[in-house]
Amino acid sequence: MRKLIAGNWKMNGLRADGLALARELARRAAATPLACDLLLCPPATLLAAVRDAVAGSPLQLGGQDCHTRQHGAHTGDVSAAMLRDAGCSHVILGHSERRIDHHETDALIRAKLAAARDAGLVAILCVGETAQERDAGRALDIVSRQLAGSLPDEMSAGAVAIAYEPVWAIGTGRTPKAAEIAQVHAHLRAELKGRLAAPEAVRLLYGGSVKPGNARELLAIANVDGALVGGASLVAADFWAIAQTGS
Ligand code: 13P
């Protein structure tokens, strides 16, 4: 399957930095075609500017969250329809930082996935255990529960990707062993059977301290169909190097 390398900028990027990063990646992508899909998920304030900066290149644009409704009296929120209107093809949902910072529940995330689907966006659903849960041997149970609770019933394989992001691997420089990632991804693939048609066509991404130095090994693991990259996606040369290993 063609891999998806997604950059989650999180709450980083003022206009000048964000535009320089997007322009540099667009320049490289135009000069050297990649064999993977490349997605930039800047903060909402930069969506339009990044869209214009990458116009004409194969780079795709995504949001980092959306509301469950498409419009209405929800001060400070952004809807899936608005993301789509701003040029997005994807939206990250259920990231552990939102689950923690905003107390997002599986039920809420499920409603957001339905909104993303209805707006024509591909949802990148994040799941993953804490260090405590892994140490207690509960990693598979946790991702199963998150998947079961946050994936709507009527999803097509092309409308969703699942990102396995162990909470303890995010921003820490630590990653699970290859065998541990393989186990979780095989488990997720199996859990998708019966939930939607063509479960083998759903991209399963790995996220958590993906860097140029470990990307090749991580992307070679069975059932790893791409990466969700945080810190390293803010440095053009690093994100580009990761994308090249995914090609
Ligand atoms: P880091 O790559 O900085 O560990 O972040 C991963 C992540 O949370 C991507 O969504």
Side-chain angles (χ1 to χ4, degrees):
M1 177 174 349
R2 191 176 165 90
K3 294 197 192 298
L4 171 65
I5 309 296
N8 176 8
W9 293 9
K10 308 191 179 185
M11 196 173 73
N12 294 295
L14 298 181
R15 192 177 164 82
D17 308 337
L19 280 183
L21 177 55
R23 284 193 186 120
E24 175 60 15
L25 290 167
R27 189 190 64 74
R28 292 182 188 225
T32 317
L34 289 167
C36 65
D37 291 340
L38 216 50
L39 174 70
L40 305 184
C41 302
T45 48
L46 289 184
L47 284 171
V50 171
R51 175 200 61 208
D52 293 345
V54 304
S57 86
L59 294 178
Q60 295 176 284
L61 189 68
Q64 298 178 12
D65 178 47
C66 71
H67 196 271
T68 57
R69 302 288 178 90
Q70 306 296 2
H71 57 83
H74 303 287
T75 302
D77 280 309
V78 173
S79 76
M82 290 169 173
L83 292 177
R84 178 88 184 166
D85 189 48
C88 292
S89 53
H90 292 69
V91 60
I92 298 168
L93 293 172
H95 193 283
S96 60
E97 287 152 14
R98 293 207 60 85
R99 291 178 188 261
I100 294 165
D101 294 355
H102 297 273
H103 312 291
E104 292 198 359
T105 61
D106 287 332
L108 178 74
I109 295 162
R110 181 186 170 100
K112 291 184 174 194
L113 263 94
R117 174 200 61 205
D118 294 348
L121 295 174
V122 177
I124 300 177
L125 168 62
C126 303
V127 298
E129 81 286 357
T130 63
Q132 204 177 15
E133 289 162 345
R134 174 157 284 275
D135 291 346
R138 296 177 57 218
L140 296 183
D141 284 355
I142 295 295
V143 299
S144 288
R145 184 176 54 68
Q146 291 172 333
L147 188 67
S150 45
L151 187 67
D153 287 332
E154 305 82 23
M155 291 296 277
S156 66
V160 65
I162 315 290
Y164 169 51
E165 296 209 313
V167 178
W168 54 272
I170 295 175
T172 61
R174 295 166 58 210
T175 58
K177 296 187 180 77
E180 291 170 335
I181 296 173
Q183 182 189 37
V184 173
H185 280 232
H187 181 74
L188 289 170
R189 184 77 71 202
E191 295 276 286
L192 286 171
K193 295 206 172 87
R195 291 299 314 274
L196 40 69
E200 68 286 350
V202 175
R203 278 167 161 163
L204 302 182
L205 314 182
Y206 168 77
S209 296
V210 178
K211 308 285 177 200
N214 62 16
R216 189 174 300 281
E217 186 197 358
L218 292 168
L219 289 165
I221 298 169
N223 282 306
V224 173
D225 308 311
L228 184 52
V229 185
S233 75
L234 297 171
V235 179
D238 287 357
F239 191 56
W240 185 254
I242 292 168
Q244 282 184 308
T245 64
S247 297

